[in-house]
Amino acid sequence: MKEDLVQERDDGMKAIMVMFDTLNRRMLPSYGCDWTHLPNFRRLEERTAVFDRSFVGSMPCVPARRELHTGRYNFLHRSWGPLEPYDDSMPEILKNEGVHTHLVTDHQHYWEDGGATYHSRYTTYEFIRGQEGDAWKGRLKDPVIPPQAVDRPLTGMFRQDWINREFAKEEERYPQALTFEAGLEFIQANADQDRWFLQLETFDPHEPFRAPERFRKLYPHAYEGKHFDWPPYEEVRQSPEEVEHLRYEYAALLSMCDHYLGQVLDLMDQNAMWQDTMLIVNTDHGFLLGEHDWWAKCIQPFYNEVAHTPLYIWDPRSGVQGERRQSLVQTIDLAPTLLEFFDVEIPGDMTGRTLRDTIALDTPVRKAALFGLHGGHVNCTDGRYVYMRAPAGPENGPLYNYTLMPTHMRTRFSVEELQNIELASPFAFTKGVSQMKIPSESLERYHGFGTMLFDMEKDPGQKHPFRDEDIEQKLIGYMLELMTAHDAPQEQYVRLGLEGYRRKAQ
């Protein structure tokens, strides 16, 4: 019987998460791509449940990781920032319940101001240096770089990245290679031990798209232009040849990711770990590689190329492999899924849902999902339609950060920002703790894109926004329900022009 797929647990359970950054769903064979060289992602598809309706929640990198820890949305209340003192942290909860949690990562944002509270939630952790302008090697002499397709001054993060490259020329010195080496060492050393969770997390295939030559040779193409492996966060101004070249550079880095993913699968085979080890392969978000005439993310609405993510999960209790799952899931579901797997109580503040029955039986966990960026569109999907609600006015306000940890990505909040602090009453999830309420920068660009509705079944490329009052009303209803359930700040309803809808719903 299919119901028998959900088996009783075994106290010897362990779990591995292989987390990539900027893993593009549409470039994977599991999701229809037929030209990328990814044999190990094909192996992965055969060994796992593959999710067809997985979506981001909070964007981008560190907001997504806050969701990974807390099992609830970040973007309604604050921008990029650390874990808060009142936050639940899945790795820390596991640690406190006797599950050894280990983080191996080359994600440099963890050792910046805005990510500084994440790594210490784990029992142990290892950092690999050198990715994307990581403030690693100190050299005062400017590096010599080839002519670039994108005109950037040789300063700041761009300059530092070229310095770092000098210390990672051979493949074995690449941050990704070193990250997987450390992760594999942990697996090999502890394969015969029980109750541990490894988060093996690489920044790749995030930009810059730099891969060893053996992976670039997999994608031969005629290109005689300037060096181009780091797209700008702006509209596409490059030639078709440059756009094609950058996509191949991304594909080469993706093939490198595939190679090292294969080493994890090999080690699980060699140690018979499929019997007692959960495997999650996931990402924080995707990336625009020229689609919709844009590069990157966060400066435009979150089209499916960014928001619709790949997700693979193997649960040894059900043993489901090679099957697709249609239920709507999100990053916030991973924390409760791992807690339940280790038979640890899920905190009441987590709004994500355990995916145990979804993996086994495709049991739905939600009717709709929200996703977005603090101060950007608030988006809602029911799995077929995507509704992107733009700010109601060009001023895109009012907007505030609610926090007790006033840091941005790489800096502390400025003195000027902190001069206008108010003390806000606790939210439902802050455990009775009041918040700093700090005016946030309101970006005017999002209003100009307008509100959009897409039918992913008829228009998977999201090229044709349309209007349908009944569908919009349904999705607005879902949006209001989810914002209320997450105790969204009152001014978010004003910013989005939802006050009238909210009054009708009450």
Side-chain angles (χ1 to χ4, degrees):
M1 295 292 291
K2 199 167 187 180
E3 289 75 11
D4 295 333
L5 284 171
V6 183
Q7 303 294 326
E8 292 304 312
R9 62 169 301 98
D10 181 332
D11 287 339
M13 296 296 189
K14 57 205 80 167
I16 299 170
M17 173 183 287
V18 179
M19 186 172 183
F20 297 98
D21 194 300
T22 315
L23 184 63
N24 282 332
R25 179 183 189 273
R26 68 194 182 285
M27 301 284 272
L28 302 176
S30 310
Y31 297 98
C33 187
D34 61 1
W35 61 271
T36 48
H37 298 271
L38 306 172
N40 292 302
F41 274 98
R42 293 184 183 275
R43 285 174 65 193
L44 180 68
E45 177 184 355
E46 295 171 355
R47 298 303 304 261
T48 61
V50 181
F51 286 80
D52 286 328
R53 289 186 172 90
S54 171
F55 278 80
V56 300
S58 299
M59 287 286 295
C61 304
V62 166
R65 282 156 181 81
R66 189 179 179 208
E67 291 192 348
L68 181 64
H69 281 248
T70 65
R72 63 176 302 117
Y73 300 138
N74 168 91
F75 77 98
L76 293 170
H77 296 86
R78 72 152 300 157
S79 55
W80 183 302
L83 286 171
E84 300 281 353
Y86 48 78
D87 276 348
D88 304 308
S89 167
M90 173 268 295
E92 186 169 51
I93 293 169
L94 290 175
K95 176 175 67 175
N96 292 339
E97 293 293 327
V99 178
H100 189 107
T101 56
H102 187 65
L103 172 67
V104 177
T105 183
D106 61 0
H107 198 283
Q108 80 282 2
H109 294 309
Y110 282 124
W111 52 90
E112 296 169 339
D113 288 347
T117 57
Y118 290 85
H119 65 278
S120 50
R121 308 279 71 78
Y122 299 79
T123 312
T124 50
Y125 49 87
E126 294 182 68
F127 280 156
I128 307 300
R129 304 298 302 270
Q131 286 278 22
E132 194 216 24
D134 172 25
W136 179 34
K137 294 294 187 179
R139 294 295 184 271
L140 276 66
K141 184 178 179 180
D142 282 342
V144 177
I145 68 172
Q148 301 287 309
V150 176
D151 187 21
R152 290 187 176 99
L154 190 59
T155 58
M157 188 172 68
F158 180 65
R159 177 184 183 277
Q160 183 65 52
D161 185 75
W162 278 95
I163 291 172
N164 292 345
R165 293 185 193 207
E166 289 296 313
F167 296 89
K169 291 183 176 180
E170 299 80 18
E171 181 179 335
E172 61 269 21
R173 298 290 303 277
Y174 273 57
Q176 182 191 155
L178 292 170
T179 299
F180 273 88
E181 179 183 349
L184 293 167
E185 187 274 333
F186 177 90
I187 296 171
Q188 191 66 63
N190 297 290
D192 61 349
Q193 302 298 304
D194 296 332
R195 290 180 68 76
W196 53 257
F197 166 57
L198 168 65
Q199 185 172 326
L200 201 176
E201 177 185 340
T202 180
F203 194 60
D204 290 330
H206 191 289
E207 77 278 1
F209 306 139
R210 175 175 176 255
E213 188 62 25
R214 71 182 180 111
F215 299 108
R216 299 178 74 228
K217 286 180 178 179
L218 296 172
Y219 303 94
H221 60 285
Y223 179 71
E224 298 180 355
K226 297 179 180 179
H227 186 94
F228 190 26
D229 64 12
W230 197 337
Y233 279 48
E234 60 185 33
E235 291 182 272
V236 173
R237 297 186 176 90
Q238 286 70 33
S239 68
E241 292 76 20
E242 288 171 322
V243 172
E244 178 189 53
H245 172 68
L246 193 74
R247 289 175 177 170
Y248 283 132
E249 296 288 79
Y250 176 88
L253 185 54
L254 187 56
S255 288
M256 182 181 184
C257 294
D258 178 86
H259 170 75
Y260 286 99
L261 169 65
Q263 294 187 359
V264 175
L265 303 181
D266 290 345
L267 207 53
M268 290 186 68
D269 287 343
Q270 294 163 17
N271 290 288
M273 296 179 69
W274 300 99
Q275 300 172 20
D276 61 4
T277 306
M278 174 176 276
L279 176 65
I280 300 172
V281 178
N282 64 313
T283 190
D284 48 3
H285 52 70
F287 198 82
L288 286 168
L289 287 166
E291 300 86 353
H292 307 281
D293 296 321
W294 283 96
W295 295 118
K297 59 186 188 289
C298 297
I299 56 170
Q300 67 286 103
F302 291 130
Y303 295 105
N304 277 351
E305 289 84 357
V306 175
H308 197 183
T309 53
L311 177 64
Y312 306 80
I313 305 180
W314 160 259
D315 187 338
R317 296 170 300 181
S318 62
V320 170
Q321 57 182 350
E323 295 187 19
R324 314 293 293 204
R325 292 294 175 257
Q326 302 305 313
S327 296
L328 181 60
V329 301
Q330 292 192 275
T331 304
I332 59 174
D333 298 323
L334 297 179
T337 296
L338 283 159
L339 291 174
E340 185 278 329
F341 180 74
F342 286 106
D343 200 22
V344 172
E345 183 178 356
I346 299 168
D349 289 335
M350 287 191 177
T351 55
R353 297 289 180 263
T354 176
L355 298 180
R356 177 177 181 169
D357 292 341
T358 310
I359 298 164
L361 305 167
D362 208 2
T363 302
V365 292
R366 62 177 50 82
K367 295 181 295 183
L370 291 184
F371 58 95
L373 174 86
H374 186 70
H377 286 64
V378 172
N379 310 281
C380 185
T381 182
D382 63 358
R384 173 172 177 176
Y385 300 102
V386 171
Y387 180 64
M388 300 177 172
R389 183 81 183 186
E395 73 285 352
N396 190 12
L399 184 66
Y400 297 90
N401 271 303
Y402 293 90
T403 181
L404 294 177
M405 304 287 289
T407 60
H408 297 299
M409 180 194 295
R410 298 185 177 92
T411 64
R412 298 165 292 177
F413 275 44
S414 68
V415 171
E416 291 74 21
E417 289 176 287
L418 296 175
Q419 286 172 344
N420 296 308
I421 288 177
E422 300 176 46
L423 190 63
S425 299
F427 290 102
F429 58 92
T430 64
K431 301 176 176 60
V433 178
S434 298
Q435 300 290 291
M436 295 181 188
K437 180 181 179 181
I438 307 172
S440 178
E441 178 186 10
S442 294
L443 300 174
E444 297 180 1
R445 63 175 177 262
Y446 295 114
H447 172 73
F449 286 101
T451 294
M452 294 183 285
L453 175 67
F454 294 100
D455 184 339
M456 292 188 291
E457 186 175 294
K458 295 180 179 179
D459 179 25
Q462 292 180 311
K463 296 179 180 179
H464 307 290
F466 72 105
R467 299 299 304 271
D468 185 302
E469 186 173 349
D470 291 340
I471 296 172
E472 288 187 44
Q473 289 296 322
K474 179 182 177 181
L475 290 168
I476 288 172
Y478 286 146
M479 184 176 290
L480 291 172
E481 287 179 20
L482 288 165
M483 290 176 68
T484 300
H486 288 83
D487 202 7
Q490 300 304 305
E491 68 271 8
Q492 287 280 17
Y493 298 94
V494 178
R495 185 180 75 89
L496 297 167
L498 289 173
E499 283 187 300
Y501 294 102
R502 190 183 183 205
R503 283 193 293 268
K504 289 181 182 178
Q506 289 176 337

